[in-house]
Amino acid sequence: MVTAKEKKEIISVVMDLIRFDTSTGNDKTSKECLSYVKGKLLRNKITSRITVVKNHYSLLSTFKPNTPIDYLFVGHIDVVPSSNPQAYQPFINKGKIYGRGAIDMKSEVGAMILSYIQAYKKYKKSESKLNIGILLTSDEEIGGYDGLKHYVDQNFFTAKCVILPDSGHADSLTIAEKGVFQVRLDSTGFAAHGSRPWQGENAIEKLMFALGDLKKNFPLPKKNKEWVASMNIGKIEGGNATNSVPSRACSHLDFRYRNDDDYSKIIKALDEVKKKYDITYTIVLSGKPVSVNPKDEYIKHICKIGKEYGINFKFEYAHGASDARHLSNLNIPIIMFRPNGSEAHDDNEWVDIESLIQFYCIISSFISNNSRHIHKI
Amino acid sequence: MDLTKKLISIESTDAHKDKLREVIDVCVKELEGYTIEKFNQNDRPSVLVYAGKTRPKQFDVIFNAHLDVVSAQEHQFHPQEKDGKLYGRGASDMKGGAAAQLLSFKEVAKNSTRAIGLQLVTDEEIGGYDGTFLQINAGVRTPFVVAGEPTDFGVGQKAKGVIWMNVKAKGLVAHGAYQWRGESAILKMKKAIDAIEKEFPVLEKEEWRTTINIAKVETSNTTYNKVPDDCTMKLDIRYIPEDWKTVKPKIEKMFEGLELEFLEFEPPQVTSETNPYFKQLLTSIETVSAQKANIVLKHGASDVRHFSRVEGEGVEFGPIGAGLHSDDEWVDIKSLSTYYRILKKFLENLK
């Protein structure tokens, strides 16, 4: 169990992290925030390295360098900008910490930092042989390309299990996340005077026909339980002068898909409208779906530890994507759950303190496990 | 031709107010000896030109020419001659016609016993309120106006009315992966567009019917993964005089539940067949071209419609050309001189 001192420290670290306005674009503040973490680790005699890729800073620390990592904590310190400047002044009310990033995901990051430090103390006392690591990035909200994806692409680490508490709930583990596929559609017609539309070809109309066809293939999901591929039309734009037939129009589409079959269906549908309406499409972003085998030994193990804390973990499917998608090619189990909190990105973001402490206990217990059956995997 | 080229080379779009002044100045310079009455509203200059010292209460005939053009590619402001055609922005709509109107007026008006006026304006493409409309409000009247818009020598006796409007849809923002938590304004708009396709299908060829052009569509959202909560569509509706009374209720029914904003609601234009000047124009056309004058129905509105508010009639009548508002606009060079001769004949016959 956790001591009163530990609990106090967790709360204090989380509130410290929230005070850094690490909104997308504030890269300097992200660097300061990571330096704060580096200092905290150093006071516990742990070394870490801050690296930068295209202005985006990341911090990596492991017990042993250049050795496969048994458990890797992964988190991001960046947050979505808030219109309310008070959002970066955390406060506690009725057992909750309020502030930008409280649930997405500064409290999880704080808990992981302290869990990491505790594990290091054990490691130094030679109670554990486990190599544990922590990787904190600062560009998840804008795609994670310079953070987690960069680390994966450059083979900067090998891990047996990753803990990435950026989805799931206090009592449920995310075992699948949809893939994301964003495309831009461009339609071209002929300009003509608006009074003689038959002399031109209206690019907006062509585009709308194409969107209609696509919509038929990807009908609007009505509720959370509908685990299907979906399409969102984020933007349509076309036309200029009121009295002209528009010759250009474009649209931004965001597809969410479950698996390779869905992916093929998307491509097929896009190719069909491309041919039928002479429309072009450009892929803007493509991120694979994530799936974790619920029968994996690590998953079984976290469920067992959950039970010790009175939690019967359920499994859930997430419609949204996270940085976890960058790990999907590695085929390693990813532990995805997080404490109770608000829906992310609103102006009253909060995390429940008791749930946060419980989260801390579960991950700490989880990474201290060195039983042989897990290591055989 | 020289004057037409000179006019084309001036980029007289509404975005360049100094060029509007310049294009008027170039014309005024040509009209020495005539009275030039200057008008200006919202930085859009126009002139009324006539032979006498004071403006007549009512002109017998007014030639109406607009010297503004819609935006174009840079090269279109450098006129090019090729295969008997003159290419450039405004060649057809309507700097070619304007030059011919100006020159025929200049030749005849001074020696005519009739009151002939020339209106040069710079805001036809954006509605004509700061030019023709302003002058009408200042008391300019005529039973017959000839707007030199491109008609391929047809006489535009009827013109459609115009409605410009915004259709706005509102929705509810949500993350694009969780669409059921929101409501897409774009999908609502899609339904409105489907209704247009059903009620006013795209015409394959020219027909005397009411048309709707979807001129613009946009949303304030720029993020791929967001369900957009607003979407605005701009429509350019051209309705035949026969639909004058029914068009608005039909539109309101079609877009039920959406916010409608009427930006322009312009009347259609009809000239009676018994108008003596109308008959005279037909005769002049037949005399000069040795062909029967062709009565046409115009899909686009012109500044002539402003006169219908004060019971003035008029027609659109212009030379052969094509590609108005497009990247490939031209006027037939030979037709330009024929046009000049017809206008001259018409004015001379008024004596």
Side-chain angles (χ1 to χ4, degrees):
Chain A
M1 282 314 276
V2 63
T3 64
K5 198 185 148 208
E6 269 179 291
K7 183 174 167 179
K8 217 177 134 189
E9 198 174 6
I10 293 169
I11 294 170
S12 133
V13 169
V14 169
M15 291 178 73
D16 282 351
L17 291 171
I18 292 174
R19 277 186 204 102
F20 290 96
D21 176 3
T22 52
S23 300
T24 299
N26 288 355
D27 301 325
K28 235 184 102 195
T29 315
S30 288
K31 190 188 176 185
E32 284 163 16
C33 182
L34 291 175
S35 301
Y36 161 88
V37 176
K38 191 182 169 82
K40 189 140 200 81
L41 295 177
L42 211 55
R43 279 195 291 285
N44 290 283
K45 303 187 179 63
I46 312 173
T47 56
S48 61
R49 256 186 78 192
I50 294 178
T51 53
V52 59
V53 177
K54 287 187 214 150
N55 287 331
H56 297 126
Y57 294 88
S58 302
L59 177 146
L60 178 66
S61 172
T62 54
F63 292 175
K64 290 180 267 189
N66 308 320
T67 323
I69 301 163
D70 295 294
Y71 296 100
L72 177 67
F73 288 121
V74 176
H76 67 85
I77 59 150
D78 56 320
V79 294
V80 178
S82 172
S83 51
N84 174 15
Q86 291 301 311
Y88 307 98
Q89 299 300 326
F91 63 91
I92 295 173
N93 186 24
K94 292 181 182 159
K96 292 168 178 172
I97 303 173
Y98 286 85
R100 173 54 99 222
I103 191 67
D104 186 17
M105 58 173 291
K106 283 181 168 168
S107 51
E108 293 87 340
V109 166
M112 290 195 293
I113 292 168
L114 292 171
S115 181
Y116 180 67
I117 292 172
Q118 288 305 319
Y120 186 75
K121 287 177 180 162
K122 271 195 203 171
Y123 170 76
K124 276 288 144 186
K125 280 190 225 153
S126 301
E127 281 175 27
S128 162
K129 290 281 167 280
L130 291 168
N131 185 23
I132 294 171
I134 186 165
L135 172 61
L136 300 178
T137 65
S138 63
D139 70 335
E140 191 272 346
E141 299 292 357
I142 53 165
Y145 296 98
D146 299 330
L148 186 57
K149 183 159 195 309
H150 179 76
Y151 274 83
V152 170
D153 288 351
Q154 301 291 320
N155 294 315
F156 279 170
F157 62 80
T158 317
K160 291 175 186 160
C161 176
V162 166
I163 297 129
L164 205 172
D166 199 13
S167 65
H169 292 87
D171 61 350
S172 73
L173 295 164
T174 297
I175 56 161
E177 279 183 7
K178 278 183 185 170
V180 53
F181 185 68
Q182 296 176 342
V183 294
R184 178 193 156 108
L185 294 187
D186 281 284
S187 117
T188 321
F190 303 107
H193 194 276
S195 65
R196 304 179 152 263
W198 56 89
Q199 288 179 348
E201 189 182 35
N202 191 316
I204 294 176
E205 274 167 19
K206 269 170 85 174
L207 181 68
M208 294 313 283
F209 282 133
L211 292 176
D213 282 13
L214 290 170
K215 204 67 226 156
K216 268 181 214 143
N217 282 300
F218 302 96
L220 206 62
K222 295 277 186 306
K223 52 182 193 284
N224 207 37
K225 275 187 186 161
E226 268 185 72
W227 184 248
V228 293
S230 70
M231 176 183 94
N232 177 54
I233 307 167
K235 175 178 166 171
I236 46 172
E237 185 182 60
N240 204 345
T242 312
N243 59 0
S244 290
V245 174
S247 62
R248 280 176 203 289
C250 88
S251 179
H252 291 177
L253 302 179
D254 179 293
F255 292 94
R256 303 290 164 147
Y257 66 101
R258 301 162 298 178
N259 47 40
D260 290 350
D261 285 352
D262 281 352
Y263 183 81
S264 313
K265 191 181 151 190
I266 294 168
I267 296 293
K268 193 173 156 238
L270 286 170
D271 284 339
E272 272 171 17
V273 295
K274 180 182 171 177
K275 211 173 140 196
K276 192 167 164 194
Y277 302 105
D278 187 27
I279 271 174
T280 60
Y281 69 86
T282 317
I283 298 167
V284 174
L285 185 148
S286 179
K288 288 193 165 179
V290 174
S291 82
V292 177
N293 180 359
K295 295 206 170 85
D296 182 276
E297 293 299 331
Y298 284 92
I299 299 292
K300 280 187 188 163
H301 188 60
I302 193 95
C303 290
K304 203 179 128 223
I305 290 169
K307 278 208 182 84
E308 289 167 18
Y309 287 88
I311 292 172
N312 238 328
F313 274 119
K314 296 174 298 206
F315 296 133
E316 71 173 73
Y317 296 84
H319 297 279
S322 75
D323 256 2
R325 70 182 190 279
H326 299 309
L327 300 168
S328 56
N329 280 341
L330 299 181
N331 267 325
I332 43 176
I334 309 167
I335 306 297
M336 296 179 276
F337 75 111
R338 60 181 164 193
N340 284 326
S342 58
E343 289 292 336
H345 298 192
D346 69 12
D347 272 341
N348 284 310
E349 212 177 319
W350 56 269
V351 65
D352 180 86
I353 294 175
E354 278 316 305
S355 179
L356 172 62
I357 300 303
Q358 191 176 56
F359 168 80
Y360 168 80
C361 292
I362 293 172
I363 58 170
S364 298
S365 173
F366 177 64
I367 61 161
S368 65
N369 191 284
N370 194 12
S371 67
R372 286 176 66 200
H373 75 271
I374 285 186
H375 270 261
K376 271 193 292 185
I377 300 160
Chain B
M1 269 295 282
D2 286 347
L3 182 58
T4 303
K5 282 186 190 167
K6 213 187 281 179
L7 296 177
I8 289 173
S9 65
I10 302 170
E11 193 178 343
S12 52
T13 61
D14 195 56
H16 298 96
K17 298 289 192 293
D18 55 322
K19 299 288 177 188
L20 299 182
R21 282 192 293 277
E22 188 183 331
V23 79
I24 286 280
D25 289 346
V26 166
C27 291
V28 165
K29 221 177 250 174
E30 298 282 333
L31 291 159
E32 223 170 285
Y34 281 96
T35 301
I36 312 284
E37 218 182 303
K38 290 186 177 176
F39 295 82
N40 192 330
Q41 187 165 282
N42 296 325
D43 249 348
R44 296 173 186 122
S46 72
V47 292
L48 178 68
V49 189
Y50 43 85
K53 285 220 163 22
T54 53
R55 188 207 298 169
K57 259 202 176 124
Q58 172 157 299
F59 287 95
D60 293 306
V61 167
I62 288 180
F63 282 177
N64 175 295
H66 71 84
L67 300 166
D68 55 318
V69 292
V70 294
S71 61
Q73 302 188 22
E74 214 277 306
H75 71 84
Q76 292 183 278
F77 295 103
H78 303 282
Q80 299 276 339
E81 275 182 62
K82 204 185 153 196
D83 303 330
K85 293 170 179 170
L86 178 66
Y87 286 85
R89 170 58 83 234
S92 165
D93 182 17
M94 56 158 281
K95 285 175 169 172
Q101 284 197 322
L102 185 152
L103 295 173
S104 59
F105 168 85
K106 183 183 171 183
E107 281 284 299
V108 182
K110 230 187 290 186
N111 308 314
S112 176
T113 55
R114 311 297 287 265
I116 303 168
L118 173 68
Q119 261 179 337
L120 302 172
V121 302
T122 57
D123 70 328
E124 194 273 347
E125 297 292 356
I126 56 157
Y129 290 93
D130 294 328
T132 305
F133 188 72
L134 176 75
Q135 293 195 12
I136 290 170
N137 280 347
V140 178
R141 296 287 182 276
T142 182
F144 195 67
V145 57
V146 179
E149 300 276 358
T151 61
D152 297 342
F153 288 132
V155 179
Q157 187 209 349
K158 282 188 190 179
K160 287 177 177 175
V162 183
I163 296 172
W164 283 359
M165 67 183 298
N166 283 330
V167 181
K168 293 178 179 176
K170 296 256 171 276
L172 184 67
V173 170
H175 190 287
Y178 304 84
Q179 293 173 80
W180 50 91
R181 293 178 186 161
E183 191 182 17
S184 168
I186 291 181
L187 291 182
K188 274 191 177 176
M189 196 57 86
K190 170 85 177 83
K191 280 188 189 151
I193 291 174
D194 290 345
I196 295 175
E197 301 300 341
K198 198 168 154 252
E199 298 289 334
F200 297 94
V202 184
L203 300 184
E204 299 292 327
K205 56 178 172 43
E206 185 160 358
E207 276 179 71
W208 188 244
R209 283 171 68 170
T210 297
T211 61
I212 298 187
N213 175 43
I214 303 166
K216 197 170 181 172
V217 64
E218 63 189 349
T219 167
S220 68
N221 181 40
T222 54
T223 317
Y224 281 78
N225 62 7
K226 204 162 119 181
V227 174
D229 67 341
D230 73 270
C231 185
T232 302
M233 166 169 78
K234 192 164 256 178
L235 300 179
D236 181 1
I237 303 171
R238 308 289 170 140
Y239 63 95
I240 53 178
E242 294 84 340
D243 282 353
W244 196 354
K245 299 290 169 231
T246 53
V247 66
K248 198 177 173 201
K250 194 168 176 184
I251 288 165
E252 282 167 341
K253 191 160 175 251
M254 212 164 69
F255 299 137
E256 224 171 346
L258 301 174
E259 193 188 316
L260 306 183
E261 191 184 351
F262 288 89
L263 306 169
E264 301 280 352
F265 202 136
E266 294 292 342
Q269 169 239 318
V270 191
T271 295
S272 61
E273 277 159 26
T274 54
N275 185 312
Y277 300 101
F278 175 67
K279 289 200 275 194
Q280 183 61 252
L281 179 64
L282 300 186
T283 311
S284 306
I285 294 167
E286 278 155 28
T287 313
V288 174
S289 67
Q291 273 172 3
K292 203 170 156 19
N294 191 18
I295 304 288
V296 292
L297 308 170
K298 290 291 289 181
H299 302 285
S302 75
D303 272 353
V304 177
R305 76 185 189 283
H306 291 303
F307 284 93
S308 37
R309 295 173 200 268
V310 291
E311 274 143 43
E313 295 190 341
V315 294
E316 288 174 49
F317 171 61
I320 296 171
L324 57 157
H325 293 208
S326 82
D327 296 346
D328 204 25
E329 182 176 347
W330 57 267
V331 67
D332 181 272
I333 294 169
K334 215 175 115 200
S335 83
L336 211 48
S337 70
T338 310
Y339 179 62
Y340 165 78
R341 284 186 285 125
I342 294 171
L343 291 179
K344 210 174 140 197
K345 186 88 186 161
F346 169 65
L347 293 180
E348 284 164 356
N349 284 351
L350 293 179
K351 284 180 201 170

